[in-house]
Amino acid sequence: MNAEQFTKDFKALAQSTKLPFQVQEELWTMINGLPFHSRLFNAMPSKFDQVDKVISEGIRSIYQPHSTRSVTELDRIGRCLDKIQPGARSTIPQAGRGAFATRLIRKGEVVIGTPLIFTPTDDFYRMYQGDWIMQSAPPDRNNLKRMQLIINYSWKHPESSLFLIPYGPLAQLINHNQTQANVRVQWAKHGEMSQNHAWLTKSPEAIFPSATPGLFWDFIAMREIQPGEEIFLDYGDDWEKAWTEHVKNWKPPIDAEDYISARQWVQENPDAMLRTEEEQGIDPYPDNFEMRCIADIIELYTAEENLTNDQAKDLWHEKAQSSEYSTKTSSNATEATISLSKLLFDV
Amino acid sequence: MICTVQERRQEPNGEYVYKVHYLPLGLFDTEDVIGEDGLVNWYESTWIPRGAISFAEKPYSTDIFLEGAFRHPIQIPDDIFPKPWQGFEGTLYW
């Protein structure tokens, strides 16, 4: 159930039971005032006179105007997303990807911004021993295996258990470099990008129940940044110390030399004959491999027994063109149709 | 979707086709996947071409999930950390 469907169902029910207009309005106001936080309630039109618009034009008609801004307003309070771009290789060895300036950025300029969500403790990151894939048993809370990787992208202060997690684009690509940091973070101005300074004056408990965003950081250039230059941030002394310790003590697994990723193996062996489960008892694939099958092809072949390869191609083409298939694959319909068709035709 | 090859056959044109056991998409509830006998309820396919089968990384098998892999949050600078948030210690759910 989504907010649009809920609104339609409400109106249909009100009409079928011949509820007077005023009662409908009061009921709608009452539902909107229920003290529950949910995505559905959050998305529902707050005013009853918006209900007919939602029914005739969809829920987006209510919210789309809020998302449209004039260029003047964007210049004043918006944030550019194209001053930096991802680079496949950081200038720091083994740091993976990085963020690089696309143009000259002046000292004091906002390089990128990001909204933040918060979590009161590290509870959210903890992964206990358990069957994470099949979830056949509850995790063993006495056996903490590791923290989720997202903790490396989260922010924390030593004097609090609270975590802030940026969820805007690009900012997460900025690597640590204590000696060459060229950006720092600061709170956005009150009212810009939903930043609510009142939250900074309250205890965290007071802001946890909020269903709307209220925290936004800007990454500010500490000096002039040249086009193509990598963006660096100082992750803090604690981070630097922890990383130095980690590098000093790290020992790779004993079988690290033999490791091959499934992705690399597939690229190098696209047509290799596959071993059966029985054969793998004697000659197994590496532990990190998981065999996957393309659901649509299995369904197609299973539905049409004794199908020749050519017949399957024709049927697949027909299926890929049908609206039924397009609906099933939603927004990725075109891409999925093309890639799966190509895949089958290549067989 | 996850599958395992059960049988392999060579076609007259030299290509191999396979019969697999697979778990249909959408079976996210444990009871749909694990039978009363505690074994996985695999579905059986008919003969399918090589192009329908591939390999992916097993979840949690890449180096970022190794035991002892680096985990540390970024430090919120002192000068922007709100005073009312200092000393806050939340409660773990577990």
Side-chain angles (χ1 to χ4, degrees):
Chain A
M1 176 71 77
N2 58 40
E4 184 172 317
Q5 193 57 50
F6 183 89
T7 310
K8 286 176 179 170
D9 289 354
F10 173 87
K11 192 68 181 175
L13 189 68
Q15 283 173 339
S16 69
T17 52
K18 298 192 170 67
L19 275 183
F21 183 84
Q22 195 183 344
V23 178
Q24 289 182 32
E25 188 170 13
E26 284 172 8
L27 197 55
W28 185 259
T29 309
M30 192 189 83
I31 293 170
N32 258 284
L34 288 173
F36 306 120
H37 291 292
S38 78
R39 290 165 66 91
L40 188 145
F41 279 160
N42 208 31
M44 268 167 38
S46 55
K47 293 178 184 148
F48 185 66
D49 58 14
Q50 294 172 313
V51 166
D52 286 341
K53 193 173 169 66
V54 169
I55 290 167
S56 59
E57 298 173 40
I59 195 98
R60 286 181 183 82
S61 64
I62 301 292
Y63 294 104
Q64 195 271 337
H66 298 302
S67 309
T68 308
R69 298 283 185 274
S70 69
V71 174
T72 317
E73 195 179 358
L74 284 175
D75 276 343
R76 192 170 60 82
I77 63 161
R79 296 292 182 275
C80 280
L81 292 177
D82 63 353
K83 288 184 191 173
I84 59 173
Q85 65 183 5
R89 285 271 172 271
S90 167
T91 54
I92 298 175
Q94 299 184 353
R97 297 195 296 165
F100 293 84
T102 56
R103 59 176 104 138
L104 182 74
I105 302 171
R106 307 275 177 209
K107 183 181 177 182
E109 218 177 295
V110 176
V111 176
I112 191 73
T114 178
L116 304 153
I117 53 170
F118 45 77
T119 179
T121 65
D122 65 7
D123 211 24
F124 163 69
Y125 303 99
R126 293 176 178 223
M127 294 182 74
Y128 295 95
Q129 176 63 47
D131 181 1
W132 297 322
I133 315 293
M134 305 301 268
Q135 297 179 6
S136 56
D140 176 4
R141 66 184 70 177
N142 296 315
N143 191 353
L144 179 66
K145 288 300 286 183
R146 60 172 71 91
M147 294 301 209
Q148 291 199 60
L149 186 62
I150 196 176
I151 199 169
N152 287 3
Y153 299 89
S154 304
W155 294 61
K156 186 181 176 300
H157 190 272
E159 289 177 21
S160 172
S161 66
L162 186 83
F163 284 83
L164 296 178
I165 309 159
Y167 63 99
L170 299 168
Q172 303 279 34
L173 288 164
I174 302 175
N175 287 315
H176 165 75
N177 190 325
Q178 211 157 32
T179 54
Q180 293 177 49
N182 48 18
V183 293
R184 60 178 174 80
V185 288
Q186 72 175 34
W187 296 105
K189 285 183 186 155
H190 178 68
E192 287 188 10
M193 310 303 292
S194 301
Q195 168 67 15
N196 183 354
H197 275 2
W199 285 22
L200 311 182
T201 64
K202 294 176 181 171
S203 154
E205 280 110 331
I207 60 175
F208 289 150
S210 176
T212 52
L215 299 174
F216 194 96
W217 267 346
D218 285 326
F219 291 70
I220 307 292
M222 295 160 67
R223 57 169 174 76
E224 193 171 86
I225 301 171
Q226 300 301 315
E229 196 179 336
E230 183 163 4
I231 309 298
F232 290 123
L233 187 70
D234 178 1
Y235 286 7
D237 292 341
D238 285 357
W239 194 97
E240 174 81 18
K241 196 176 156 197
W243 175 249
T244 308
E245 281 293 304
H246 174 78
V247 172
K248 196 171 89 185
N249 298 323
W250 173 252
K251 287 188 178 61
I254 45 171
D255 55 355
E257 292 291 322
D258 301 327
Y259 176 82
I260 181 168
S261 72
R263 177 191 290 227
Q264 188 188 339
W265 189 92
V266 167
Q267 280 169 356
E268 291 172 4
N269 304 277
D271 302 317
M273 186 187 79
L274 298 170
R275 301 196 279 276
T276 65
E277 198 173 11
E278 192 180 351
E279 289 166 343
Q280 288 177 54
I282 302 160
D283 187 8
Y285 290 108
D287 276 349
N288 55 303
F289 283 26
E290 186 166 86
M291 194 176 274
R292 299 277 179 88
C293 291
I294 296 168
D296 293 82
I297 299 182
I298 289 194
E299 275 175 22
L300 184 68
Y301 275 76
T302 307
E304 304 285 340
E305 289 207 26
N306 304 320
L307 201 66
T308 66
N309 240 2
D310 285 341
Q311 283 172 325
K313 286 176 193 174
D314 291 343
L315 253 176
W316 178 253
H317 189 64
E318 201 177 294
K319 193 175 159 77
Q321 298 292 327
S322 75
S323 57
E324 178 204 356
Y325 181 75
S326 302
T327 312
K328 250 168 63 179
T329 54
S330 67
S331 60
N332 292 325
T334 311
E335 196 182 329
T337 304
I338 292 168
S339 58
L340 286 170
S341 302
K342 271 174 68 182
L343 187 71
L344 195 66
F345 290 142
D346 290 340
V347 168
Chain B
M1 54 195 178
I2 296 171
C3 63
T4 64
V5 170
Q6 299 301 304
E7 288 183 65
R8 181 182 60 237
R9 187 180 79 189
Q10 194 166 24
E11 298 287 84
N13 62 6
E15 288 178 1
Y16 287 101
V17 289
Y18 301 86
K19 272 190 180 178
V20 300
H21 279 173
Y22 65 100
L23 292 176
L25 294 172
L27 294 188
F28 294 117
D29 293 330
T30 303
E31 54 264 35
D32 291 335
V33 179
I34 310 286
E36 285 177 6
D37 51 7
L39 299 173
V40 175
N41 285 326
W42 292 101
Y43 286 60
E44 195 174 302
S45 80
T46 183
W47 294 104
I48 59 169
R50 170 67 177 85
I53 310 168
S54 189
F55 287 102
E57 313 299 339
K58 196 181 281 180
Y60 308 108
S61 71
T62 58
D63 53 3
I64 54 173
F65 296 108
L66 282 172
E67 207 162 302
F70 185 71
R71 293 287 189 275
H72 202 282
I74 302 167
Q75 190 170 329
I76 303 172
D78 289 338
D79 60 339
I80 66 163
F81 194 63
K83 282 222 160 35
W85 298 8
Q86 283 174 13
F88 171 80
E89 290 299 324
T91 315
L92 292 176
Y93 289 113
W94 274 21

